[in-house]
Amino acid sequence: MEKDQSYRPRFHIQPPQGWLNDPNGSVWYRDRYHIFFQYSPDSPLGSGRKCWGHYTSPDLVHFTFEGISIYPDHPLDQNGVYSGTAWVTDQGLELYYTGNVKHPGNYDYINEGRGHNVLRVKTEDGYHLSEKEVLLENKDYPGDLSCHVRDPKIFEEDGWIHMLLGARSRDSHGGLLLMKSKDRDHWEIEREFFPDDFGFMLECPDYFTIDGQKVVAFCPQGVDTDDWHYQNIYNSGYLFLSQEISAASDETLRKEINTRDFREWDYGFDFYAPQTFETPDGRRILIGWAGVPDVPYGNGPSIEEGWQHTMTLPRELSLRNGRLYSLPVRELEEARSRKLSWDKEHERLDSTCLDIVVSADAAGKSLHLQINEDLTFTVDGKSKMASLTFLNDTGAGRSSRKAKLEASEGFRNARILIDRCMIEIFLNDGELAFTSRYYPADKTGLSLSIEEPYAVECYEVGDTITIS
């Protein structure tokens, strides 16, 4: 008998079975988007082989699972093909990643006993890979760093190819390691940088330019919660830089890379390890893992179905009001299969795969939205505080998350995308985002209640994921 798959999403990237986490190697190459990701096919709990899975898409809406791309079959990645990035050259596509090794013995696996190596594979067609090349090992990194140096991001700047790596020092401070190369084969240390107040590890670094603004992004681990900041055990976000990261002085970086100016990408329970890439028409797209490591809440219902975790929807970034806004890529509107009728007298919608738009006639108002009897999303027009709250165990242990509107006056609009067990909320044209897993008892439809007489448009979203 086949397992029940009632919670499996229809329009989010997910594993065919097993465990999915960090997106890697997101890139447009040869008329197609390639999204690689960390993948444990053997268990929905993440045990067993740690590989790279592979999805492709012609349009950022319809995705096809292409199978496992990279297996942990080399002495320097034998315990896992970990996070990395893609780089397009005149000769083809190059994939850089961290090869994980755990040596047997009585080690702490922080300062001793672990290998984090940078490996590379090449491909001309995006599917068939070359032999693995080892570019860097722990012995090639500065001696004050722990074994945890990982997640290479490749970019070109000032005539050099650079590699930005997340790092943990031997005395457990989080930082960044910047390396450079002329030929992408031989790498030298350019600088290491450790800010004062970003916990014990900076994971999954990214670096890009949008509308002329330099942006560095990463995932700090070990930063204490401060009211509505850093509410998850591990968080992810970005900072603006005034100049190129390779040219900036340590004094400039120390001034600009700090917790005070760090802006989080998402304030929900399930968002981590995002990666950005560029479309052929120049848009900057962000996609993340709809999960967080080491959390006290879970995904029991999807685990029972034999799989765990999804990607977030691809999000288009824009620079406005001194911050980055994010909204689902405009192409997603093509996935709307039909418009559903809704009014306050007939609140039920006969679908759990929905794209809902709520609009106020003026800015500065409040919002109280309730889904079924178990989830509320509110915006207080006076305090400008937005809150996502689970009222019972349909959150599988999730409780409440909040964030403050700082660039606008109260509620103006919201885009709410529900995909069976996934919910992504974008507030005020993408100023704030909340991503969470959600397990409603009713798998056939939901009730939507909005206190104010706002304009509401509801669309059902069709299947966009192909898993053969």
Side-chain angles (χ1 to χ4, degrees), residues 251-362:
E251 180 181 353
T252 298
L253 292 177
R254 194 164 302 282
K255 178 181 178 182
E256 296 182 353
I257 299 181
N258 59 77
T259 53
R260 182 187 68 254
D261 296 328
F262 187 76
R263 296 196 182 278
E264 294 170 65
W265 291 117
D266 192 290
Y267 292 88
F269 290 88
D270 296 275
F271 185 94
Y272 196 66
Q275 186 173 86
T276 70
F277 58 98
E278 195 171 57
T279 63
D281 60 5
R283 290 174 291 154
R284 177 61 53 173
I285 306 300
L286 177 143
I287 189 167
W289 170 34
V292 179
D294 303 330
V295 292
Y297 41 88
N299 296 300
S302 73
I303 291 172
E304 291 178 7
E305 294 184 2
W307 63 278
Q308 187 172 186
H309 299 309
T310 77
M311 294 297 175
T312 67
L313 295 170
R315 303 177 181 185
E316 186 173 332
L317 300 180
S318 59
L319 178 63
R320 285 183 282 165
N321 301 320
R323 66 185 60 225
L324 294 177
Y325 283 57
S326 67
L327 283 171
V329 290
R330 62 193 72 171
E331 292 91 336
L332 187 64
E333 294 184 13
E334 300 172 11
R336 293 170 173 173
S337 58
R338 62 180 175 128
K339 189 171 184 178
L340 305 177
S341 61
W342 177 89
D343 61 61
K344 291 180 67 64
E345 301 302 321
H346 302 87
E347 299 174 344
R348 181 175 168 80
L349 298 166
D350 62 344
S351 176
T352 57
C353 299
L354 298 163
D355 186 347
I356 302 167
V357 180
V358 182
S359 304
D361 57 5

Side-chain angles (χ1 to χ4, degrees), residues 43-166:
S43 168
L45 300 178
S47 57
R49 297 167 296 170
K50 304 294 192 301
C51 311
W52 268 24
H54 185 195
Y55 270 94
T56 60
S57 172
D59 55 11
L60 292 177
V61 178
H62 302 91
F63 290 88
T64 300
F65 180 63
E66 304 290 356
I68 295 175
S69 178
I70 309 177
Y71 289 87
D73 55 9
H74 188 282
L76 294 187
D77 68 10
Q78 61 185 282
N79 296 116
V81 179
Y82 280 19
S83 291
T85 191
W87 183 251
V88 177
T89 74
D90 293 338
Q91 292 76 42
L93 179 65
E94 299 181 350
L95 303 176
Y96 296 75
Y97 68 92
T98 297
N100 183 53
V101 177
K102 291 187 72 174
H103 301 291
N106 185 25
Y107 298 114
D108 64 2
Y109 295 107
I110 298 172
N111 290 325
E112 304 293 339
R114 184 186 294 272
H116 274 166
N117 314 292
V118 176
L119 285 81
R120 177 179 64 191
V121 293
K122 300 177 181 179
T123 174
E124 291 186 6
D125 61 7
Y127 303 92
H128 299 90
L129 305 182
S130 68
E131 294 293 321
K132 296 177 179 179
E133 302 170 85
V134 179
L135 301 179
L136 295 166
E137 302 177 48
N138 286 77
K139 62 182 176 61
D140 299 311
Y141 308 138
D144 61 339
L145 300 187
S146 73
C147 299
H148 288 259
V149 181
R150 59 175 183 265
D151 313 334
K153 167 69 178 185
I154 307 298
F155 63 94
E156 187 171 8
E157 193 171 77
D158 62 22
W160 290 82
I161 302 295
H162 296 273
M163 180 189 298
L164 188 64
L165 293 147

Side-chain angles (χ1 to χ4, degrees), residues 4-35:
D4 176 28
Q5 296 283 292
S6 300
Y7 284 119
R8 181 176 284 279
R10 294 173 62 182
F11 57 95
H12 281 77
I13 288 176
Q14 70 231 222
Q17 72 284 322
W19 165 288
L20 168 152
N21 59 320
D22 300 9
N24 295 293
S26 305
V27 68
W28 171 263
Y29 180 69
R30 288 201 171 185
D31 301 321
R32 191 159 294 268
Y33 293 98
H34 295 261
I35 309 292

